[in-house]
Amino acid sequence: MKAVPRGEAPPEGLAPRVLVVGAGLMGSGIAAQCALAGFPVTLEDISDAFVDRGLGRARRALEHAVDRGEIDGSRRDAAIARIARQVGLEGTGEAEVVIEAAPEDLTLKRTLFAQLERLVRPEAILASNTSSLPIGSIGSDLRAPGRLVGLHFFNPVLQMPLVELIAGARTDPAVAARAGDFAARLGKTVVRSADSPGFVTSRALAVLVNEAARMLQDGVADRDDIDAAYRLGFHHPMGPFELVDLVGIDTTVAILDVLYEGLREERYRACPLLRTMVADGKLGRKSGQGFYPYPSRGPGRP
Ligand SMILES: NC(=O)c1ccc[n+]([C@@H]2O[C@H](COP(=O)([O-])OP(=O)(O)OC[C@H]3O[C@@H](n4cnc5c(N)ncnc54)[C@H](O)[C@@H]3O)[C@@H](O)[C@H]2O)c1
């Protein structure tokens, strides 16, 4: 699909309202991106504290865009003003585009979309930011599964130009086309993937990170040397441990489990080291500790 440059905000009134469900790492970035492109956004989560944390993250993401010289202060302020807050799904009837960014858990996502289908208007697009779960499975209980599509954003959302568009077997092609147009209006380049576990990017990421963790576990090299090898040997902007800390080690293990479940190949079996880290609460940047320490972040911190 064609890339479009990051555009100016559409005239107010022409921009459909976006509901972002889940105000975590991804939801906050997606909300900031939609608001920056001129869409009125509601950022929703299950508690005030989570919504506050997400709004704080969205503001910081926009602030960093100012620091990088990408936008000026007035665009930042206008974007922040477009983001409304919400706790719980009641009152979501106005949304025309829903982007779900709740944890990577099939049962949770199924339940959420079953609720959302009843709450939002029939023509609203229902999109999941899932990294790996089949769109067909997420939508299997929907009365109108044709409304559901995958829109897979990347972290940090404002800086990453890609969105993967996944149409399930039952996704209405017109819905997929509208979702692709929407992502293009955010300034993203859209690639299409089949509804196969992990799509293109998570399947590639999972193997890359899993292999690095296995090498560390086997004593082939230490953390810093493995990261340096990937960065300097392959021109990757981040080493695999820096990357998995950014993505979330829990999210990465969840992706590997979906891949292993769906494709039954040994290379997708999550390395025990990754599982142990999740069990120990070492989830990466978001928990304050992953393969690297992040002393200024972590539980209870914004
Ligand atoms: N982390 C990444 O780099 C990345 C990249 C692309 C896609 N994803 C996908 O995006 C989704 C979210 O990942 P994340 O990293 O932002 O996770 P996260 O843990 O940072 O955030 C998830 C948020 O969802 C909220 N939540 C939980 N149950 C909810 C419910 N019933 N209703 C509304 N909100 C609920 C949580 O409170 C939390 O704030 C996952 O499907 C993940 O696979 C993640």
Side-chain angles (χ1 to χ4, degrees):
M1 268 186 150
K2 187 86 178 70
V4 297
R6 182 182 289 178
E8 282 303 305
E12 300 287 347
L14 289 182
R17 175 161 284 280
V18 180
L19 170 68
V20 179
V21 177
L25 280 181
M26 293 306 292
S28 53
I30 292 167
Q33 181 72 78
C34 294
L36 191 57
F39 295 94
V41 185
T42 302
L43 184 57
E44 186 271 347
D45 209 302
I46 49 177
S47 76
D48 268 317
F50 288 138
V51 176
D52 287 343
R53 192 176 60 177
L55 286 170
R57 280 200 182 114
R59 285 194 199 102
R60 279 198 300 283
L62 291 160
E63 195 57 56
H64 290 153
V66 175
D67 296 343
R68 290 192 300 274
E70 292 171 4
I71 58 171
D72 59 21
S74 65
R75 278 195 76 190
R76 172 202 57 207
D77 294 344
I80 290 170
R82 288 190 193 101
I83 308 178
R85 52 177 297 132
Q86 186 172 306
V87 176
L89 291 180
E90 291 307 320
T92 51
E94 276 186 22
E96 290 168 62
V97 178
V98 178
I99 304 174
E100 169 274 318
E104 190 75 339
D105 175 312
L106 181 59
T107 308
L108 171 65
K109 288 187 193 288
R110 269 192 185 140
T111 310
L112 277 172
F113 279 110
Q115 278 177 274
L116 285 162
E117 182 181 44
R118 287 194 300 274
L119 291 169
V120 297
R121 52 181 82 182
E123 67 275 18
I125 295 174
L126 300 177
S128 176
N129 184 51
T130 178
S131 312
S132 59
L133 296 165
I135 297 303
S137 304
I138 296 175
S140 60
D141 294 338
L142 294 182
R143 281 176 294 185
R147 298 169 71 184
L148 184 68
V149 67
L151 273 185
H152 182 205
F153 291 81
F154 294 80
N155 182 23
V157 179
L158 289 190
Q159 287 166 259
M160 298 298 280
L162 183 67
V163 166
E164 231 172 355
L165 172 69
I166 304 105
R170 294 196 288 173
T171 303
D172 179 344
V175 168
R178 279 170 60 210
D181 288 347
F182 172 76
R185 284 176 75 185
L186 300 180
K188 301 301 185 192
T189 296
V190 178
V191 296
R192 282 178 174 265
S193 167
D195 192 17
S196 169
F199 321 124
V200 173
T201 54
S202 297
R203 187 160 160 176
L205 168 83
V207 174
L208 182 146
V209 166
N210 211 26
E211 202 53 43
R214 283 187 180 145
M215 285 192 279
L216 182 63
Q217 192 180 257
D218 294 349
V220 174
D222 67 20
R223 176 199 71 184
D224 292 351
D225 281 352
I226 294 173
D227 266 352
Y230 277 60
R231 269 199 318 269
L232 305 177
F234 306 134
H235 246 296
H236 288 192
M238 305 178 104
F241 300 122
E242 294 166 314
L243 181 60
V244 72
D245 275 2
L246 179 70
V247 168
I249 300 174
D250 52 342
T251 301
T252 304
V253 168
I255 293 169
L256 279 159
D257 287 346
V258 170
L259 283 161
Y260 186 71
E261 180 71 22
L263 301 170
R264 288 280 156 202
E265 289 179 32
E266 201 52 33
R267 64 178 179 270
Y268 303 120
R269 192 194 286 274
C271 171
L273 174 62
L274 295 173
R275 279 199 199 285
T276 306
M277 291 181 73
V278 174
D280 292 345
K282 295 176 182 168
L283 308 182
R285 289 191 192 201
K286 64 182 169 187
S287 72
Q289 177 71 50
F291 283 96
Y292 294 85
Y294 303 91
S296 63
R297 303 187 187 228
R301 294 178 190 273

